[in-house]
Amino acid sequence: MNTEFGAKKIIEFSNGVFITETVINTWIIMAVLVIVSIILTRNMKLVPEGKQNVAEIIVTMLTGLVGSSMGKDKLGFTPYMGTLMIYIMIANLWGLIGMRAPTADLNTTFALSILTFFLIHGFAIKRKGVGGWIKGQFLEPVAVLFPLNLISEIATPVSLAFRLFGNIVGGMIIMTLVYGALGSILSGVLPIPIFMLGIPAVLHAYFDVFAGVLQSFIFTMLTMVFVSMAMDD
């Protein structure tokens, strides 16, 4: 159901299936990431220069982050964790260009958190086997805590999804209210640029830029920590 702050339906088919602006914006972000990746990695040389330096700096930083957070034996997660962080960061900042942030849609954040859920348990089973997975995730430190451990595992993707969604949509709602309030206050007087531009700019810097980048880092870090903990003894 559409609400004032909900994602709008862009295309609706006769069978009730529809495509929202969240899906459209996600496709655009994916296309941008693919195109930029192709541009940065074309005609790579043994001695890097220009745009190749940018690509190598990004890869080096992400590799170092994964290595320090998950351990050197888990550097194979770098492509996924790097893509996850960059995608969430761009999605969170998407509102700066007047578009609706995909992460302001609970469907997007739940999809990302469910991927984390399957990574946690899939790689735990791969590393420990089914028996070791059951013991490590549900029966430790004592078997009597199985119900609480089960609830904890189910709550992990829920908390991840709502944390990211709440921060992004909360900022969007606050900015909408600020613009509405400024419009009402200044409607009967001479517009003052410091109010019309200065106040929203400061708030955008926090709710869109700072909070957006921070939440992408937090979501990715929690994913790395949860997966690493599930795989290790």
Side-chain angles (χ1 to χ4, degrees):
M1 179 181 296
N2 284 342
T3 64
E4 183 179 354
F5 295 105
K8 298 178 181 178
K9 296 179 182 179
I10 304 299
I11 303 173
E12 187 167 5
F13 302 97
S14 58
N15 58 358
V17 177
F18 55 87
I19 297 176
T20 66
E21 58 183 326
T22 297
V23 177
I24 300 297
N25 290 338
T26 298
W27 287 346
I28 295 173
I29 294 173
M30 290 167 57
V32 169
L33 290 177
V34 170
I35 293 171
V36 171
S37 298
I38 293 174
I39 292 173
L40 291 179
T41 56
R42 283 188 64 184
N43 303 319
M44 298 188 72
K45 302 176 181 178
L46 185 61
V47 179
E49 59 182 25
K51 57 185 177 61
Q52 185 177 338
N53 282 323
V54 176
E56 294 199 9
I57 289 173
I58 294 173
V59 172
T60 301
M61 291 175 59
L62 292 173
T63 301
L65 180 62
V66 173
S68 62
S69 302
M70 302 184 71
K72 300 298 183 181
D73 60 321
K74 301 180 183 68
L75 289 179
F77 286 98
T78 301
Y80 174 77
M81 298 302 173
T83 302
L84 179 67
M85 179 180 290
I86 294 172
Y87 166 75
I88 295 177
M89 184 182 302
I90 295 177
N92 290 347
L93 298 176
W94 206 239
L96 291 175
I97 61 174
M99 308 286 279
R100 181 183 174 84
T103 43
D105 191 325
L106 198 55
N107 295 292
T108 298
T109 58
F110 255 113
L112 296 173
S113 66
I114 289 172
L115 284 175
T116 295
F117 179 82
F118 282 112
L119 279 176
I120 292 170
H121 297 285
F123 280 94
I125 293 173
K126 183 178 180 181
R127 174 67 67 91
K128 302 177 180 179
V130 175
W133 164 68
I134 293 175
K135 179 182 177 182
Q137 299 298 116
F138 303 105
L139 303 180
E140 291 185 350
V142 290
V144 73
L145 293 179
F146 171 78
L148 292 179
N149 289 333
L150 179 61
I151 294 173
S152 175
E153 295 300 327
I154 296 174
T156 295
V158 176
S159 64
L160 282 173
F162 275 101
R163 179 186 292 107
L164 179 57
F165 167 76
N167 278 276
I168 302 306
V169 80
M172 185 183 70
I173 292 173
I174 290 173
M175 291 308 305
T176 301
L177 295 175
V178 167
Y179 279 116
L182 289 176
S184 299
I185 293 172
L186 301 176
S187 59
V189 299
L190 183 66
I192 304 175
I194 186 62
F195 291 121
M196 297 300 292
L197 297 177
I199 294 177
V202 172
L203 294 176
H204 273 301
Y206 175 79
F207 288 113
D208 289 332
V209 179
F210 176 75
V213 173
L214 180 63
Q215 289 304 315
S216 67
F217 179 78
I218 291 174
F219 191 100
T220 308
M221 283 296 299
L222 288 174
T223 297
M224 289 191 290
V225 170
F226 289 146
V227 173
S228 180
M229 289 176 59
M231 293 177 65
D232 294 337
D233 294 330

